[in-house]
Amino acid sequence: MNPKRPIWYLPEKDLVQVIDQRKLPHVYEVYDINNCDDTVYAIKNMVVRGAPLIGVTAAWGFYMSLKNKTSDDESVLELEKKINGSRPTAMNLFYATKKVKEAVLKENSPEKRIEAAKRTAEEIEAAEIFNCQKIGEFGVSLIEDIYSYKKDVVNILTHCNAGWLACVEYGTATSPIYHAHEKGIPVHVWVDETRPLNQGARLTSWELGQAGVPHTVIADNTGGHLMQHDLVDIVIVGSDRTTVNGDVANKIGTYLKALAARDNRIPFYAALPGSTIDWELEDGIRNIPIELRDEEEIKYIEGLGSNGVEKFLVTPKHAHAANYAFDVTPARLVTGIITEKGIARAEKDDLLRLFPEKRYNR
Ligand code: MRU
């Protein structure tokens, strides 16, 4: 098994398929997206996850849904609403469905509307691949700089999975790492396990292992200790939504890494495409919707047992658990934001310097 992408379109079957990320790394299975229900199920239940991939899946799902449905204005708006209801935090979801809806509503005939949905899905997918490639090209300079004075292995800490599995290619936080590795810069990645669903332990370590990037999985609470002992040179994470002021929402636990990084004077960067920036929001802590997921995800843990992938209850059966999926790192703790247009300080003016069109055209 050596897949290169988490999503693909099969023209011969006119079908969209994704890797079922719930099963990795132990089982490789493919999930078909035929319609709106499949799309919503895949996003909600995290068959696919990671902000850019959620956006790309939503766009392709919009196309698959429209193909089999009436495409009058009301149905199109209803589809957008249904897909948008699948997860609340990742900006890319709303960015993608809005783009598809607008392209579709410009056309009059059903055939042209379906064509427009497909073309827009292809465009969004291609743009995210390009964005992640550019994030790597810009972000690698940060790792090169550290290597130029350290002259030894650069230790990078990352949280969750912001790799190609979460995007389409390269990843966001991992793209500078892959670029550095390809350039022969010695890197080592501390991979936060990322409870409750272990995206770091299951997915990031799988990805990095396939690419031959040296890495070590750590329990989520380890980062602070490593930072106090000079074992982390830079933190790079992804984002689900970043406000125009540079507040960064990402997987729960990211904020604590940023606090520890600040306390230890370690640079903390968020890597994200423009499609993750919410140009309408300023205060991330107050205004970014934080997903609250099922408490079962906290109470149980999954892994490979003697009967294949098994699920185990960790807590007492009737314990209550609270499953906040994301947190917000305030801009003041973010050293910089790596985007496809360059690296900005985590503040409005500098983000607008990179995306000047957003001054005029929301
Ligand atoms: O709940 P998930 O797995 O969808 O959360 C993913 C993350 O938090 C990622 O860090 C983020 O989406 C950036 S992906 C490039």
Side-chain angles (χ1 to χ4, degrees):
M1 174 201 16
N2 188 17
K4 292 272 188 295
R5 288 186 182 185
I7 187 166
W8 54 89
Y9 171 68
L10 291 177
E12 64 282 13
K13 291 191 180 162
D14 196 11
L15 176 68
V16 174
Q17 294 188 311
V18 296
I19 298 177
D20 188 340
Q21 300 196 24
R22 297 170 301 180
K23 313 256 167 92
L24 289 176
H26 305 300
V27 177
Y28 178 81
E29 255 175 41
V30 167
Y31 174 92
D32 290 352
I33 294 188
N34 290 291
N35 50 40
C36 180
D37 286 347
D38 294 345
T39 309
V40 171
Y41 179 91
I43 298 174
K44 205 185 193 84
N45 295 292
M46 296 175 65
V47 173
V48 295
R49 27 71 47 203
L53 179 60
I54 290 173
V56 172
T57 307
W60 276 115
F62 211 132
Y63 161 65
M64 293 302 293
S65 314
L66 213 57
K67 251 187 11 162
N68 305 310
K69 214 176 174 307
T70 48
S71 63
D72 56 279
D73 289 10
E74 207 183 309
S75 308
V76 172
L77 295 177
E78 197 185 303
L79 259 180
E80 182 194 28
K81 199 170 158 202
K82 265 191 158 172
I83 298 175
N84 282 355
S86 54
R87 284 190 85 183
T89 305
M91 185 61 200
N92 305 61
L93 171 61
F94 311 102
Y95 168 90
T97 53
K98 182 164 181 262
K99 263 194 166 314
V100 177
K101 174 194 69 184
E102 284 173 356
V104 166
L105 292 181
K106 272 191 199 141
E107 303 296 342
N108 288 320
S109 72
E111 297 74 31
K112 285 237 159 104
R113 287 192 159 193
I114 293 167
E115 247 176 66
K118 185 176 178 206
R119 190 179 60 245
T120 312
E122 284 167 345
E123 283 167 9
I124 292 173
E125 180 182 287
E128 292 303 21
I129 294 170
F130 173 82
N131 292 341
C132 287
Q133 162 74 23
K134 296 307 278 182
I135 285 170
E137 288 172 17
F138 287 115
V140 73
S141 65
L142 302 168
I143 299 173
E144 277 171 330
D145 277 357
I146 295 168
Y147 184 59
S148 70
Y149 55 76
K150 188 180 178 192
K151 297 190 177 22
D152 202 351
V153 177
V154 180
N155 285 303
I156 303 149
L157 185 138
T158 194
H159 191 67
C160 196
N161 170 263
W164 63 259
L165 279 167
C167 303
V168 182
E169 290 187 2
Y170 312 107
T172 54
T174 54
S175 190
I177 299 171
Y178 288 136
H179 277 74
H181 180 66
E182 276 161 25
K183 282 183 155 190
I185 299 170
V187 291
H188 165 262
V189 185
W190 295 111
V191 178
D192 280 352
E193 63 174 347
T194 320
R195 274 285 281 152
L197 295 179
N198 289 318
Q199 290 93 327
R202 295 189 301 110
L203 306 176
T204 305
S205 64
W206 181 72
E207 262 196 43
L208 294 174
Q210 288 211 331
V213 177
H215 63 281
T216 308
V217 179
I218 49 175
D220 283 327
N221 300 324
T222 311
H225 168 77
L226 296 175
M227 292 182 204
Q228 287 173 326
H229 291 271
D230 292 333
L231 292 167
V232 178
D233 297 304
I234 184 170
V235 180
I236 311 180
V237 297
S239 173
D240 288 83
R241 192 186 297 220
T242 288
T243 66
V244 68
N245 286 345
D247 292 343
V248 173
N250 191 46
K251 181 53 57 192
I252 192 81
T254 303
Y255 168 52
L256 295 178
K257 295 300 136 67
L259 279 173
R262 175 55 55 94
D263 194 43
N264 290 281
R265 290 175 294 280
I266 290 163
F268 177 98
Y269 282 87
L272 51 112
S275 49
T276 298
I277 302 175
D278 188 336
W279 299 99
E280 313 266 329
L281 289 191
E282 305 219 330
D283 183 338
I285 294 171
R286 274 171 193 248
N287 295 323
I288 295 180
I290 299 295
E291 180 180 20
L292 196 54
R293 292 184 64 84
D294 198 314
E295 60 182 310
E296 298 285 287
E297 291 178 353
I298 303 262
K299 292 177 66 175
Y300 287 81
I301 196 158
E302 243 180 52
L304 190 62
S306 40
N307 299 316
V309 174
E310 295 178 61
K311 210 168 158 181
F312 300 97
L313 179 64
V314 177
T315 62
K317 198 165 188 311
H318 299 293
H320 286 300
N323 189 4
Y324 294 91
F326 300 98
D327 61 24
V328 177
T329 299
R332 67 187 157 77
L333 298 177
V334 179
T335 313
I337 296 181
I338 311 167
T339 76
E340 70 273 24
K341 302 271 189 87
I343 303 178
R345 290 189 303 280
E347 57 186 44
K348 190 172 186 171
D349 282 349
D350 218 33
L351 279 169
L352 286 170
R353 171 181 63 81
L354 297 184
F355 297 88
E357 68 282 6
K358 295 295 173 188
R359 277 180 204 277
Y360 311 104
N361 168 23
R362 301 194 136 187

